[in-house]
Amino acid sequence: MERIDSVEMTRKTVASWRAEGHLVGFVPTMGAFHEGHVSLMRRAVAECSKVVVSVFVNPLQFGPNEDYASYPRQLETDAQVASEAGIDLLFAPSVEEMYSGPGQTKVVVDGPARGLCGDFRPGHFTGVATVVAKLFNIVQPHKAYFGQKDAQQLAVIETMVADLDFPVEIVRCPTVREPDGLAMSSRNKYLDEEARVAALSLYRGLEQAASRALAGERRAATLEAAVAETVRAEPRARLEYAELRDARTIEKLDRLEPQRECLLAVAARISTSGGGHARLIDNFIFRLKNGRVEVDRGVFADKNSTQSSQ
Ligand code: PAF
């Protein structure tokens, strides 16, 4: 695996691969790899002849009171994981390398960036869309791989790609869960033992809603309440939202609807013993087919293959 921190060298390397006829896959990340990242890399390696992974903790997508400074950084371990996953190029630029220009241009996506995390993290999706647009222009991949756990981010990026005619295919990949259901996230590293238990309330809430949907409930308010009540019952959790939305457009839904992917999304802050917190998100997708509900929870990691998120 090559390791490159320069924009120019990355461009040159990918340009030579493309000239040789390779299909180039790309997995953009902020590092601190877990099984979810590895599943994106494996899928990209299976589908493409060359794969680039980027590791860049993007300051533009963090608010002033968020965890940019403390976000986990472990480049050497990440490089080892990427190399073992069969990645060809690890692009790990510095902030100065990525934001060397005057920085007066931002990519603002409207519709799907509204509501949910868009309300609680002002400017976040502009930061995400701007850096992903830059990364696409630098790496110029044929296909780019994103996890369903960040459902609103996925909708924002798909909208940006469609609106601005980026010549890249966005591949949606399932959320990867710990064997007990906790969605894998780099921010799980913040959780101590008790916070780890509290964090599971997001998944348990979604399971409560899924049980109701499978028993015939279709109303958004009831499904949202099932999630909200479960999270609110957990003293260390502070619910931000539990909402039913269209997974592609992030429009609000009043009920589960056929012909739509219905996203039940939740976000909460989990207090940790040291006085800090971890802001976690999770979601299930519901599909109504022939009057029956299918629940898409993503995939569960094998007990033996997963590293602890502690
Ligand atoms: O999902 C992430 O890790 C980040 O938001 C992304 C897409 C790499 C942009 O910084």
Side-chain angles (χ1 to χ4, degrees), residues 28-30 56 58 61 128 131-132 146 150 153 157:
T29 81
M30 298 204 300
F56 179 63
N58 172 35
Q61 68 189 73
V128 169
V131 80
V132 172
F146 292 88
D150 297 307
Q153 168 171 286
I157 290 166

Side-chain angles (χ1 to χ4, degrees), residues 44-175:
V45 167
E47 294 182 358
C48 305
S49 54
K50 293 282 184 190
V51 178
V52 180
V53 168
S54 63
V55 172
F56 179 63
V57 184
N58 172 35
L60 225 58
Q61 68 189 73
F62 289 81
N65 299 318
E66 294 187 349
D67 57 341
Y68 174 67
S70 58
Y71 196 86
R73 289 160 172 89
Q74 47 172 62
L75 189 57
E76 292 313 311
T77 317
D78 287 348
Q80 181 72 27
V81 172
S83 164
E84 281 165 17
I87 297 306
D88 299 284
L89 193 168
L90 180 72
F91 173 51
S94 64
V95 172
E96 295 70 32
E97 180 72 6
M98 277 301 278
Y99 295 114
S100 57
Q104 288 173 23
T105 308
K106 296 217 165 71
V107 179
V108 182
V109 178
D110 193 5
R114 288 176 185 248
L116 306 182
C117 291
D119 284 347
F120 289 88
R121 305 188 68 188
H124 169 67
F125 289 116
T126 296
V128 169
T130 303
V131 80
V132 172
K134 284 168 71 71
L135 289 166
F136 284 173
N137 283 332
I138 295 164
V139 176
Q140 306 206 2
H142 295 97
K143 296 171 91 159
Y145 296 78
F146 292 88
Q148 176 61 48
K149 194 202 50 113
D150 297 307
Q152 190 173 15
Q153 168 171 286
L154 246 172
V156 165
I157 290 166
E158 283 175 343
T159 303
M160 176 189 83
V161 162
D163 285 351
L164 300 183
D165 301 300
F166 276 93
V168 57
E169 179 192 338
I170 302 300
V171 183
R172 291 182 162 242
C173 301
T175 299

Side-chain angles (χ1 to χ4, degrees), residues 176-192:
V176 180
R177 299 183 180 280
E178 301 278 358
D180 65 1
L182 182 70
M184 294 210 186
S185 163
S186 302
R187 291 191 168 94
N188 291 352
K189 288 191 180 1
Y190 300 146
L191 302 172
D192 54 82

Side-chain angles (χ1 to χ4, degrees), residues 190-199 236 270-273 310:
Y190 300 146
L191 302 172
D192 54 82
E193 209 174 318
E194 284 174 35
R196 170 74 175 67
V197 173
R236 280 175 174 261
I270 309 293
S271 311
T272 55
S273 302
Q310 302 295 305

